[in-house]
Amino acid sequence: GEDVEQSLFLSVREGDSSVINCTYTDSSSTYLYWYKQEPGAGLQLLTYIFSNMDMKQDQRLTVLLNKKDKHLSLRIADTQTGDSAIYFCAESLGGYNKLIFGAGTRLAVHP
Amino acid sequence: EAQVTQNPRYLITVTGKKLTVTCSQNMNHEYMSWYRQDPGLGLRQIYYSMNVEVTDKGDVPEGYKVSRKEKRNFPLILESPSPNQTSLYFCASRPVGTASSYNSPLHFGNGTRLTVT
């Protein structure tokens, strides 16, 4: 079946690292994505990883993929107040006609 | 500026009164899609369109209609809205048919918050 699960809340101190976790169920997923939603706005693509990769790094963002366990994580180094948002994990199935989104993790960054 | 524009941003209506939420993109994207966002459920796809006059049901199409008469526009129609359609709606688009299609991100509009009383 198709399901993407994330924890709903994460609170971190400014300057610390944040790790947002996601599990998915469909092993045929080709791409996995992280989207960021700021208040009052739509979703913006943060980063993505192809299913044959284990890791991808992009400046402060590190994506880790454990395909065996169907586990995806997003690490944000040196978390800033501007990183406060909802983060969605999503998997693409087949020809990208279908993106399955998780419920979103609300990241709160406090001083 | 490349963008997906939804209107209105906020809408309060009553049960049974037909409404249309418009969506327009200026990027010449073939693919367009509608999602609804509900707390604890993430985004669920309502309908999508691969090109003009080609539309398909997503995961939660009941109570909705769409049309794609022009490439840039993809309106969402609620013929007889009900309170369970109170939600935050997002339109999104992306190009298809290129070598990098999988990498092309979905471009999202800023959302339409609909309340049906």
Side-chain angles (χ1 to χ4, degrees):
Chain A
E2 307 159 353
D3 201 8
V4 176
E5 295 190 353
Q6 305 175 236
S7 53
L8 294 183
F9 299 102
L10 177 65
S11 179
V12 299
R13 191 186 306 265
E14 192 174 8
D16 287 351
S17 292
S18 309
V19 180
I20 303 171
N21 294 301
C22 168
T23 58
Y24 61 98
T25 55
D26 199 310
S27 57
S28 65
S29 294
T30 49
Y31 277 82
L32 294 129
Y33 303 85
W34 283 104
Y35 281 84
K36 178 182 181 183
Q37 183 183 32
E38 296 184 358
L43 281 69
Q44 287 184 300
L45 180 69
L46 268 184
T47 187
Y48 64 92
I49 188 168
F50 189 49
S51 57
N52 69 353
M53 296 168 65
D54 298 323
M55 185 182 95
K56 180 177 180 181
Q57 187 149 7
D58 184 2
Q59 298 182 332
R60 290 192 298 124
L61 304 178
T62 303
V63 179
L64 295 177
L65 175 60
N66 181 330
K67 200 171 180 184
K68 174 176 165 291
D69 295 337
K70 298 190 185 70
H71 183 264
L72 182 73
S73 68
L74 174 69
R75 179 176 179 269
I76 305 173
D78 187 24
T79 312
Q80 303 298 308
T81 54
D83 295 322
S84 295
I86 302 176
Y87 291 81
F88 290 91
C89 170
E91 60 175 337
S92 71
L93 302 180
Y96 195 96
N97 288 346
K98 199 174 175 75
L99 267 190
I100 308 296
F101 286 87
T105 300
R106 184 178 294 276
L107 174 64
V109 182
H110 56 88
Chain B
E1 182 190 350
Q3 58 187 3
V4 178
T5 304
Q6 295 179 228
N7 279 297
R9 288 294 309 274
Y10 301 93
L11 180 58
I12 300 174
T13 190
V14 296
T15 299
K17 186 176 180 183
K18 182 179 177 180
L19 66 91
T20 299
V21 184
T22 63
C23 174
S24 181
Q25 49 93 4
N26 61 1
M27 296 166 280
N28 202 36
H29 288 168
E30 293 86 357
Y31 179 92
M32 297 185 75
S33 182
W34 276 103
Y35 293 86
R36 59 177 289 174
Q37 181 181 7
D38 300 290
L41 296 177
L43 275 76
R44 293 178 293 168
Q45 190 178 48
I46 303 171
Y47 269 94
Y48 67 95
S49 169
M50 294 297 292
N51 214 324
V52 175
E53 301 292 2
V54 180
T55 62
D56 277 296
K57 294 178 181 178
D59 294 315
V60 288
E62 294 78 20
Y64 304 95
K65 283 173 56 177
V66 292
S67 71
R68 189 87 183 275
K69 294 187 171 61
E70 307 161 285
K71 201 172 186 180
R72 63 183 294 124
N73 295 324
F74 190 45
L76 180 69
I77 303 152
L78 284 74
E79 294 272 4
S80 183
S82 61
N84 66 12
Q85 293 178 298
T86 292
S87 186
L88 179 58
Y89 291 86
F90 286 101
C91 181
S93 73
R94 68 179 285 274
V96 296
T98 67
S100 60
S101 289
Y102 282 105
N103 300 353
S104 300
L106 274 175
H107 293 256
F108 281 85
N110 284 333
T112 296
R113 187 167 292 280
L114 172 66
T115 303
V116 184
T117 60

